[in-house]
Amino acid sequence: MADVRRFSDAEINRLVKFYEQVEREILDRLNRALLRGNQTEYLEQMKKNIEAILQQLREGNRTWCTEAIPRVYTEGLKNADAMLKDAGVTLKAGFGAIHQQAAQVLAENAFQRLEDVAQVIGRQVNDIYRELALENVRGTVVGYDTWKQTARRYREQLAERGVTGFKDRTGRMWNMRTYTEMVARTTTMEAHLQGTANRLVEQGHDLVKVSTHLGACELCQPWQGKILSITGKTKGYPTLEEAKAAGLFHPNCRHAYGLYIDLDKEIKD
């Protein structure tokens, strides 16, 4: 049974390195602006510079999603092909229109999740701009530089935590790097597993067996070694979607699944 991470780690690392570079550039622009936070024109230029960086980020996201996700999906197909070959099944399938469409949908879903990063950064930059602009006005009224305290607070936060504020579906907060890695790992795992599942169903096989390993977490432990129905059409087995809903294949999950043949219950063509 293939280890999903073996195919996806290179793609994940490529995206994470790109994001690390983007974060360094954004932090550099922010810190420069915070040192000159009483100059409105400098703050406005900071906003424009970061907007340009975010546009590059979006373009990089699109490139990564359209390249990496289909590649990992294809590895999922190959994984299923190897399982079927080992089971003595003669294959008559390639990377047809159905698989192309599935890979495109997965790539678009990944892009939308990464788009959240650009939106969060954009909101944070706007918050910094508005608060410093307000402090500049307040300082003019009261007669001293209140903006310096605000700028110092932001600099300390950025130095300690980097760019933060990314929330996943469970409400957990992440910084920019860890959130990006989590999204990349989740979406590549999904692409690989979906490619495997789609190929198996395409060839008339609906059952898979979940892998096992030591140290499985509480979410995954109940599902280790379980037989699942991919489509839900094979009665007597829990479905793949039920297992996912219960927490199997969470971010950074090490589990995969392999072909399982029950001659009495397999779907017939």
Side-chain angles (χ1 to χ4, degrees):
M1 194 176 299
D3 183 349
V4 178
R5 295 174 300 170
R6 183 161 61 89
F7 303 110
S8 60
D9 277 353
E11 302 292 356
I12 293 167
N13 291 337
R14 182 161 65 96
L15 184 68
V16 169
K17 287 181 179 179
F18 171 60
Y19 265 73
E20 287 175 340
Q21 177 61 35
V22 168
E23 184 176 29
R24 283 194 294 269
E25 293 180 11
I26 290 173
L27 289 173
D28 178 64
R29 299 297 193 282
L30 285 173
N31 280 310
R32 288 186 188 183
L34 290 171
L35 290 172
R36 301 167 67 175
N38 62 332
Q39 300 178 29
T40 303
E41 66 278 6
Y42 198 87
L43 293 175
E44 291 175 349
Q45 187 59 48
M46 176 268 292
K47 277 188 64 179
K48 292 179 181 178
N49 289 340
I50 293 181
E51 285 169 1
I53 294 172
L54 292 180
Q55 181 57 37
Q56 294 174 1
L57 180 67
R58 290 185 170 96
E59 293 170 0
N61 287 343
R62 179 64 72 184
T63 298
W64 184 85
C65 291
T66 56
E67 292 177 355
I69 298 300
R71 271 200 292 261
V72 177
Y73 181 92
T74 300
E75 292 296 339
L77 293 178
K78 293 178 181 178
N79 182 44
D81 290 346
M83 295 176 190
L84 292 165
K85 183 178 179 180
D86 289 343
V89 177
T90 301
L91 292 174
K92 295 181 180 179
F95 193 76
I98 293 177
H99 294 296
Q100 292 176 24
Q101 183 178 10
Q104 289 172 0
V105 169
L106 289 164
E108 183 60 30
N109 289 343
F111 176 78
Q112 291 302 324
R113 294 191 67 179
L114 291 172
E115 174 64 13
D116 292 344
V117 176
Q119 292 181 359
V120 168
I121 295 171
R123 287 196 296 269
Q124 289 185 350
V125 171
N126 286 334
D127 288 344
I128 292 173
Y129 173 83
R130 284 194 298 267
E131 188 165 353
L132 284 174
L134 179 61
E135 290 299 332
N136 284 332
V137 173
R138 184 179 300 162
T140 301
V141 173
V142 300
Y144 62 92
D145 294 333
T146 59
W147 70 270
K148 290 183 178 179
Q149 295 176 344
T150 301
R152 185 182 303 111
R153 171 165 52 84
Y154 276 120
R155 287 201 307 274
E156 290 172 353
Q157 290 176 357
L158 292 170
E160 180 181 355
R161 298 192 293 269
V163 182
T164 61
F166 305 102
K167 184 183 295 186
D168 64 18
R169 295 168 184 173
T170 66
R172 180 181 175 185
M173 299 300 294
W174 306 71
N175 63 31
M176 183 172 171
R177 185 196 183 285
T178 56
Y179 181 80
T180 301
E181 183 174 2
M182 181 273 291
V183 170
R185 196 167 295 283
T186 301
T187 54
T188 52
M189 176 180 66
E190 181 182 14
H192 189 275
L193 294 174
Q194 193 63 53
T196 297
N198 287 352
R199 176 70 95 208
L200 293 178
V201 171
E202 180 184 46
Q203 296 297 310
H205 297 276
D206 184 52
L207 299 178
V208 291
K209 184 175 182 178
V210 179
S211 62
T212 62
H213 65 77
L214 295 175
C217 70
E218 293 180 358
L219 292 175
C220 296
Q221 183 65 43
W223 298 100
Q224 291 207 119
K226 289 286 188 179
I227 311 302
L228 305 175
S229 169
I230 298 172
T231 66
K233 294 180 180 179
T234 308
K235 303 303 180 183
Y237 295 98
T239 69
L240 182 58
E241 287 305 314
E242 288 171 347
K244 289 180 180 179
L248 185 63
F249 304 126
H250 55 81
N252 298 323
C253 183
R254 293 168 53 193
H255 286 93
Y257 46 66
L259 172 65
Y260 179 83
I261 297 178
D262 184 332
L263 297 179
D264 295 326
K265 294 190 175 182
E266 271 287 62
I267 296 175
K268 304 298 182 182
D269 290 333

